[in-house]
Every structure is written in structure tokens, then in C-alpha cells.
Amino acid sequence: MLTMTGIGKSFFGVRVLSGVDLAVAPGEVHAIVGENGAGKSTLMKILAGVHQHDEGTIEIDGRRVSFGHPLDAQRAGVAIIYQEFNLLPERTVSENVFLGREPIRRGLVDRTAMDTATARLLAELGEDSFGPRQPVKRLSVAQQQVVEIVKALSLDARIVVMDEPTAALAEHEVELLYRLVRRLQERGIAVLYISHRLREVFDLSDHVTVIKDGRLVTTVATEDVTSEDLVRLMVGRDLNGYFPPRSTSVGETRLQVTGGGTDRLHDIDLKLNAGEIVGIAGLQGSGRSELAKALFGAEPFTRGEMTPVRPRSVRQAIRAGIGLVTEDRKSEGLALRQSVRDNALLVTRAIGRGARRSGVRDLLERVRLTPPREEQEVRYLSGGNQQKVVLAKWMTVAPKVLLFDEPTRGVDVGAKAAIHDLMRELAEDGMAIMMISSELPELIGMSDRIVVLREGRIAGTLPAGSSEEAIMSLAAGEVSA
Amino acid sequence: MRRALPILVVLAVLLAAIAIVNPFFIEPAGFLSFVRRAAPLVILAAGQYLVIVAGEFDLSVGSLVTVEVVVAARLIDGDEAATWPVLALLIVLGLVVGLVNGAVTTLLRVPSFITTLGMMLVLSGAVFLWTGGAPRGALSQAFRMFGRQTGWAVLILVVVAVAAVVLMRANFGRTLIAVGDNERAAALSGVRVTRVRIIAFTLSGLSAAVAGILLGGFAGVSAQVGQGLEFQAITAVVLGGVVLGGGRGTVVAAMAGAFTLEALFTLLNLYGVSGALKFTVQGVILIAAVAAGAIRLPFLDAPKVKGDAHAVS
């Protein structure tokens, strides 16, 4: 029914997909798996007409198609259900289902027709917990997912793409989703199911396609593989690249959490020691950033013990010697229109202690900012240099614990090595460092210990130099074969 | 200082133009009397700058100036002995109004445009109710001295200007700009965003109090004394190249913008252009200045090389 052949795509000269093939039959559930950033979402967005492919062909029912716009894909029977729903919260279920193509009778919107059609589709899906006239904002995430599916059905979609559909669902809601997927299957609809969670892949899919670094690894019948096989196919690349040597001496404990929890995190037991870099691994939505924000007091823990203090605010954390290099430096780390100097001194000025203005130059040299021009507005700096300014910002107050969330994302290779060296240097000077990263080689190359998160809990702790397979198994919640 | 350069050039050109028409203008007495006339607006612009650079507005300063003058006249009522206590009260009044603006905007999350628009109406209504349309009482000689005597007015202006510059170089000023630029990054760096914003509003209220004291002496007591001043102050700040939405521009440029606006009014006056055109001119400047800022941005955001070159210059 759907055949994609040799799909390739580049963004601004960076190749994100090349030579990917995919074939799906009616009534098939086809899982697509791969690490964060492997190219799964890009592939699906090409299918949905959001992005246009540079190479390859797409055929539906043997007819070659080309989607210049999401509407083209919609007309060809492709529906995509994103992690973030595209629903209007203030409107009713049926208004959302028929948004932009409301049935008109005598110049007015025919609400009765809309409600009847929606009610029929809801009934077909076996959904009786809400009706067509309910405002969407009153629905749970799982129910909103149903609305998205009803919308897809009302568009006569024959291919439904679900992007991480369980990421936002509670445990008991996952069962409902399974039921829904099977109903779609019965109607002869092909479902493309993107998920990190291997259990779902094995529960639902007929075939599974593995993508790694933008390339097709393989497509296999799900019953022919084990979860170990899948993990091996998803990762397993050579550890290339240089990393500084590991720590030689681990000092006293700088930060400790026992039984820490928020609404997204549960039973967090974690210890960060002087001189050590602790890597945090986990899939998207596993609670990695939430952990950093909790330790930093930005989204504080509501349960559990923490020393030196369980911060209730960012200021309290900073005063206790905890710093956070945020994941998104442009929106959370820097005031882009201010100078390098003003950014470097922001924390000092905010809490009224730390390095003086005259000390900034030395710090900028220490973080290897090139050139160390203090007057430059940070928005003109490269990603790597911006990250160095963020580092300098924290070094002004000499924190005891520094948390890094994706420290080298969007940073070029040279700056990456400089940042890695610097992190190790800081650890050697007695700082306790925690590093969240989606890049397994970075985690393995840098960490003295790797803590793996899964669904808001610590799934396990691995020693330095563990394999990518070991990390992915823990992170994906491998089912025992 | 580099960023204040364009407006300083414009100001110099206007001053030169005035001097050509009216040679008295370049004599010390003539020039200082211009400075005295500009002082209230410059002070208001400094206060407005603090609020705008943090990403907010203060529309209440015009009404606040009127309230200050009317209250002063009524309470002093010609009694010289009452001058100093009433001055203290006026300062407190300005601070309190600013504090309320700041608290409502930050704690109740009412957009400052609405908060201060509401405050403007509340204050206007209160003045009208209290005076019945015609202010009563009179200011004391000592009170009028601040606005009338050039020496005093210029001295107060200099003190305010120096204080504003020092404040913007201090931790408070730098964190204030950071809040206007990127509130979230500032908060995650430990900045007390709410507190910083409330202080900015409070200082804007203070600037209105000081401007009111000067204007009372200079322009006399009326229920229209502060009318339209909020828009003049905003126009002045924008004219100085300070970007609405926050995070960009200097207080020196904002004050220079106020001088420029005053110089422009003087020039129009000299050429016999009707005073009624004042609002129209202001409107055109306001739109043109913001448009010019918007047009310039893409060039600045363009290639990094260009940005580097820009920084060198």
C-alpha cells in the first residue's frame, strides 16, 4: 500500500536521512525504532508532507505521489498524530474533528451532522467515556488522542502515523491505546508506530524497521527478533572521538538525594561526589531534564531528602553551590542581546557575590572563549562559544555541583572537545558534575558512572565504560526474551 | 555610549538648527533655560526607560504628575512652612503609585499596558473628583523655586541623570536589562525577576514625582499639567533607540531622546508651527522610530561576520 524508496533528506547541508526504504501493507502495524535523533521523526514528517525529501520516491497504492504540503498528504490518506496534539482546547470534540471543513447547511455550520458523524466514529472505536459535544480541554491526554484518531478516520486516512503515542500516557491508558490501534488494524488501516519502548513494539507490531544515524539498518518481522537484537541494531557504533582521561580520585559527597520525587520523578536516590562526572542516560520523556531542574530548585522536589539543601528556589540552589547549564542555552541560558561580560556576570550580580568584573577576562580565557572579546553580544557567537559563556557564568560563583543538560548539543567538534576537557578539569578541581546527554558515545566517553532513567525512575546504574547496548537496554526497558 | 551616538547626532543637528534661527540659544542663559524646560521630560524618560527596558510600559506617569501638582497646591495652600513636609509626601506618593503598578503587573500578572492604563484613569478620576475640575490652593515660593530657578532645575536634572547612569551600571541595572532580554534565562541565573520589575515601576513613579515637583513650579497649577506626558516620555525613550519589549538600549540614549524631542518642539515653535501639531509630530516620531528599529534588526541579525565588524566599529 505504501512504499518509500531511497528517501534522502538534508537540512542546510547536513544529511539527516539517506537511502531509507519502507514498505507497509494494509492492516499492518509497522514499528519504527531508533535512538534519539536517528531520523525517525524526519522520515515521518516527509510522509506527512511537512518536509520534502531530496531523494527517493513515495508510492501509495502503486501511484507515485509527492507532497508539497501537509494537505496533499491528508488528501492522499495519510494522517499523522504528533506527540503534541493539534487540538483547540476551547472547542468541542466534533468541532475539532471537522475543523476547517465543517459541513454547511443553508449557509450555517451543520452541528447536528458534525455531532452525528463524530458520535458514529467514537462508537466504532468503542469509546464511550465522552461525547462529541464535550470541550476538548476537559478531556484527558488519552481521550484527546482518541479525538485525533477520530479526526484521522473522518478524513478517510488509510495510513496513520503515531509519533511516540504513549509518551504522555499513564500506565493504564496504554492498554486503551493498544485497543485503539487494533481497531484501526481491523479496518485495514496501516499504522506506522514510532516508539522508544520496546515492549510496545513487541506487543503491537507485525514488522519493525530500525533506523540509525539517518540510515536504514533493517526491516524484520517482529516475531523473528528478540529485544536484545533490536537494541544491538539500534546502537553499536564505534566509539570514535577523543575524550579526556577519567577521574583518578573521587572525593567527598557534594550532593545527595534520597527518595526524591515530583509529579514526574519517583524514588530518586542519587549521590554526586567531588571529582566525579556522573552521566545521566534515558530516552526522551524519561525525566532527565526534570531531574536537573529538581536538583536546581527550578521545578523543586516535593518529596524526599536532599543535602546540602533541598532547594525550593533557584536562588537557594545557587547559594548552596549548585549550578545548571540548561539544555536550551538560547531560551534558558543566555540574554542574547547582552554582551559576553554581562552574561558572564549575570549569576554573580543576581546573588550579589562571586567574581568581579575585572576577573571576567581570566575566566573567559579559562573557558577558552576565542576570541575572548568581552563587549561582543552573545547572539553573534557560535554555539560552542555561547556554551563557553554559559560555563563562565557559573564559574564566577565557583559552584560545588554543576549540572549539565546536553552540554554539547549544537556545538561543533572543536568546541565540543574543549567543553569536555573543561568539564573534566572542573571535576579534577573538586567539583561534582552531573551530565545529561542523549549521545551515547559522549556519555560513555565522559562518565565515571552512568545512571539510567526510565519513566521518571532510576532504572539502574552502570560503571564507567559500559556498552551502548547495556545503556539502551536499561533505558528502553527491555523485555526478557 | 556607542549605541547612544545616533540620537546624540540628531540632537546636535537640531540644537544647531535652533541656534541658527535664534542666536540667544547658544548663550549660557539661553541654553540653560532650554535645559530647564526639558528637565521634567528628561527625568520622566529616565523613569520610563527603566520600565521599558524590562519589557513593560508605564502609562500612568502623566496623570501622576498632575496628581502631584494638584495635591501639592492644595496641601501647601501658600504656607511656606508646609513646603518640606509636602515635598516628602509627594515623593512617597510617587513611590507608592509605582509600587502598586509593579505589584499588580508582576504578582497579579496583569499586562503593564493595562495596569498603568487603569492607574492613569484612576488617578485622572481622583483628581477630577477632588478638585471638581478647578484645582484650589497655591504653591509656596520655596516649592516653586525648584522649577523656576534654572540652577535648581538643572541641578536636580544632573543628580537624576547621574543616579540613573550609575544605577544602570550597578548590579540592579544589569539584571534589569537581562530580565527584559530573556526573563527565563535571568530567573534560571538566580535573578529575582519580580522584585527587579517592581523596583523599576517604583522608580518610574519616583521620576513622575520629581518631574511633577519641577513642573508645578515651572508651569503652575492646573488639572492639565501632566496631560500627555506619558506619551511624550515613551516617544522620547523610543526615539533614543530603546527597543519596546525590553533588553536593548541605554538610559543615556533615552534621556538624549527626551532632549531631542524638546528641541524639536522648540524648533517647531520658532518656525511658528502650531502647538496643536505637537501630538501629530509625536505620533509620527513614535511610529517612525519603532519602524526604523524593526528595519535595522535583520541587518544586525544577519551573518556573523557582519556582527563582528559591527562590534569592532
Side-chain angles (χ1 to χ4, degrees):
Chain A
M1 173 178 186
L2 167 72
T3 319
M4 297 173 89
T5 320
I7 301 294
K9 173 76 185 168
S10 302
F11 287 116
F12 309 109
V14 180
R15 211 163 174 74
V16 291
L17 279 180
S18 66
V20 177
D21 303 331
L22 187 69
V24 191
E28 179 190 347
V29 177
H30 195 118
I32 298 175
V33 299
E35 288 179 283
N36 297 337
K40 299 168 301 210
S41 293
T42 308
L43 183 65
M44 291 304 112
K45 282 183 178 162
I46 287 171
L47 179 58
V50 177
H51 297 317
Q52 280 70 49
H53 53 288
D54 310 330
E55 296 158 14
T57 55
I58 304 176
E59 286 176 23
I60 292 181
D61 295 333
R63 280 219 333 270
R64 189 161 165 178
V65 293
S66 125
F67 304 144
H69 189 272
L71 277 176
D72 298 342
Q74 205 178 70
R75 283 191 203 104
V78 179
I80 183 161
I81 296 166
Y82 295 100
Q83 292 173 41
E84 312 274 323
F85 302 139
N86 296 310
L87 297 175
L88 306 179
E90 300 288 342
R91 315 299 334 165
T92 67
V93 170
S94 57
E95 281 170 336
N96 269 286
V97 168
F98 285 96
L99 186 69
R101 50 193 183 91
E102 292 83 354
I104 304 289
R105 218 177 103 215
R106 288 195 219 112
L108 296 173
V109 172
D110 187 350
R111 288 178 171 275
T112 325
M114 265 165 54
D115 291 346
T116 319
T118 307
R120 185 173 50 79
L121 287 168
L122 284 172
E124 279 176 36
L125 289 173
E127 179 59 67
D128 50 11
S129 65
F130 66 93
R133 311 210 70 152
Q134 208 117 7
V136 161
K137 65 177 176 191
R138 301 244 180 82
L139 303 181
S140 71
V141 175
Q143 289 171 324
Q144 294 186 24
Q145 213 160 37
V146 175
V147 177
E148 286 276 9
I149 291 170
V150 167
K151 191 171 172 180
L153 291 179
S154 79
L155 284 160
D156 288 321
R158 288 173 308 136
I159 300 163
V160 172
V161 181
M162 300 178 127
D163 190 2
E164 299 276 352
T166 55
L169 296 186
E171 199 66 35
H172 65 276
E173 294 171 329
V174 173
E175 269 311 313
L176 296 174
L177 179 78
Y178 281 12
R179 218 176 61 205
L180 225 50
V181 171
R182 297 215 174 90
R183 295 253 181 177
L184 294 178
Q185 208 174 355
E186 286 160 16
R187 295 171 66 117
I189 291 170
V191 177
L192 280 163
Y193 193 95
I194 303 179
S195 184
H196 291 303
R197 301 190 187 171
L198 297 185
R199 201 186 69 202
E200 293 163 18
V201 171
F202 284 96
D203 284 350
L204 279 175
S205 71
D206 306 307
H207 287 88
V208 51
T209 290
V210 183
I211 296 179
K212 187 177 81 178
D213 299 336
R215 288 171 184 283
L216 174 72
V217 178
T218 186
T219 297
V220 288
T222 313
E223 57 191 16
D224 293 345
V225 288
T226 64
S227 51
E228 286 91 350
D229 294 337
L230 277 189
V231 167
R232 199 169 320 117
L233 292 168
M234 282 158 72
V235 293
R237 76 172 82 69
D238 293 333
L239 259 192
N240 46 16
Y242 158 84
F243 291 99
R246 288 215 170 71
S247 107
T248 43
S249 62
V250 171
E252 59 185 283
T253 300
R254 295 272 193 210
L255 180 152
Q256 185 166 11
V257 190
T258 328
T262 65
D263 50 348
R264 299 284 306 275
L265 298 170
H266 311 280
D267 307 321
I268 301 294
D269 293 325
L270 183 70
K271 205 189 255 193
L272 302 177
N273 303 316
E276 207 185 15
I277 295 179
V278 176
I280 303 288
L283 301 168
Q284 266 168 36
S286 60
R288 295 171 309 182
S289 296
E290 288 79 2
L291 174 62
K293 296 247 161 86
L295 293 170
F296 185 57
E299 291 163 18
F301 281 123
T302 49
R303 301 185 295 274
E305 305 286 316
M306 179 170 159
T307 51
V309 65
R310 194 177 97 188
R312 276 170 286 114
S313 72
V314 168
R315 286 177 70 82
Q316 212 182 354
I318 295 174
R319 285 181 182 278
I322 303 170
L324 170 65
V325 175
T326 51
E327 178 178 7
D328 184 344
R329 61 184 161 265
K330 286 193 172 145
S331 75
E332 302 194 318
L334 295 165
L336 288 172
R337 294 192 295 197
Q338 310 309 315
S339 67
V340 166
R341 183 199 293 130
D342 281 339
N343 272 283
L345 287 170
L346 188 53
V347 178
T348 306
R349 283 166 170 161
I351 66 164
R353 69 170 191 227
R356 306 231 150 240
R357 190 179 150 124
S358 54
V360 170
R361 192 164 186 91
D362 288 343
L363 267 178
L364 294 179
E365 270 165 24
R366 174 125 195 252
V367 300
R368 303 164 179 81
L369 184 74
T370 46
R373 209 188 281 146
E374 293 176 51
E375 304 289 345
Q376 179 89 307
E377 283 180 38
V378 292
R379 62 180 164 148
Y380 296 126
L381 301 179
S382 66
N385 272 333
Q386 287 183 346
Q387 194 69 320
K388 290 173 186 173
V389 174
V390 175
L391 259 174
K393 176 177 91 168
W394 288 110
M395 286 165 63
T396 56
V397 289
K400 296 190 185 70
V401 180
L402 199 46
L403 314 168
F404 289 84
D405 196 350
E406 303 286 358
T408 60
R409 176 174 289 177
V411 157
D412 64 282
V413 183
K416 204 165 177 168
I419 290 168
H420 285 154
D421 281 341
L422 205 64
M423 287 169 71
R424 185 47 79 189
E425 235 175 81
L426 292 173
E428 291 294 317
D429 289 353
M431 210 182 270
I433 288 179
M434 182 180 105
M435 178 187 74
I436 295 169
S437 177
S438 297
E439 273 184 63
L440 292 177
E442 176 176 57
L443 269 178
I444 293 166
M446 289 296 294
S447 310
D448 298 312
R449 194 151 52 93
I450 299 171
V451 173
V452 184
L453 290 180
R454 183 176 70 229
E455 291 166 34
R457 294 170 192 278
I458 292 180
T461 302
L462 297 167
S466 296
S467 67
E468 299 195 13
E469 286 86 346
I471 297 171
M472 280 304 281
S473 301
L474 270 177
E478 183 181 329
V479 283
S480 44
Chain B
M1 199 46 79
R2 175 167 46 86
R3 287 204 199 104
L5 203 59
I7 189 64
L8 290 174
V9 170
V10 174
L11 178 58
V13 169
L14 283 175
L15 292 179
I18 297 171
I20 290 166
V21 185
N22 177 12
F24 171 69
F25 189 74
I26 31 177
E27 286 171 30
F31 187 71
L32 284 178
S33 108
F34 165 74
V35 173
R36 182 193 63 180
R37 203 162 58 239
L41 184 59
V42 175
I43 291 167
L44 281 177
Q48 190 71 239
Y49 165 81
L50 299 177
V51 177
I52 287 182
V53 87
E56 307 286 351
F57 285 99
D58 190 349
L59 297 178
S60 68
V61 289
S63 311
L64 183 52
V65 164
T66 306
V67 167
E68 297 279 347
V69 173
V70 170
V71 166
R74 178 102 174 228
L75 292 185
I76 293 176
D77 204 8
D79 178 6
E80 293 294 326
T83 305
W84 292 99
V86 169
L87 277 176
L89 184 78
L90 295 180
I91 297 291
V92 172
L93 179 63
L95 291 171
V96 169
V97 170
L99 184 68
V100 171
N101 280 336
V104 170
T105 299
T106 55
L107 303 177
L108 302 184
R109 292 172 201 271
V110 178
S112 59
F113 189 85
I114 299 300
T115 307
T116 57
L117 183 68
M119 181 61 83
M120 169 172 124
L121 295 171
V122 167
L123 294 177
S124 305
V127 166
F128 196 75
L129 182 73
W130 206 45
T131 61
R136 274 168 289 168
L139 297 172
S140 60
Q141 284 305 314
F143 189 100
R144 305 186 69 164
M145 174 182 79
F146 295 112
R148 276 228 176 126
Q149 288 189 6
T150 306
W152 272 109
V154 172
L155 180 69
I156 291 172
L157 175 63
V158 168
V159 169
V160 169
V162 169
V165 170
V166 170
L167 190 69
M168 288 315 293
R169 290 186 172 221
N171 285 356
F172 168 78
R174 306 322 298 168
T175 50
L176 181 73
I177 296 184
V179 165
D181 189 349
N182 187 344
E183 181 177 344
R184 181 143 180 80
L188 286 173
S189 298
V191 175
R192 279 178 286 206
V193 173
T194 301
R195 197 172 98 146
V196 165
R197 282 220 166 102
I198 291 179
I199 292 174
F201 276 104
T202 308
L203 291 174
S204 177
L206 174 65
S207 77
V210 175
I213 291 166
L214 291 184
L215 270 175
F218 181 66
V221 182
S222 85
Q224 282 81 40
V225 61
Q227 211 169 47
L229 275 181
E230 63 283 331
F231 295 118
Q232 284 189 30
I234 292 171
T235 307
V237 171
V238 170
L239 190 56
V242 179
V243 173
L244 297 180
R248 196 165 183 82
T250 66
V251 71
V252 172
M255 292 188 291
F259 272 118
T260 308
L261 195 60
E262 196 63 46
L264 191 65
F265 291 151
T266 306
L267 195 64
L268 290 176
N269 202 20
L270 281 175
Y271 277 104
V273 178
S274 161
L277 226 65
K278 213 165 153 177
F279 283 111
T280 312
V281 168
Q282 249 175 269
V284 171
I285 291 174
L286 194 57
I287 294 169
V290 172
I295 290 164
R296 234 175 39 211
L297 281 175
F299 294 107
L300 293 177
D301 283 335
K304 237 174 58 202
V305 190
K306 197 157 185 178
D308 286 346
H310 170 80
V312 172
S313 63

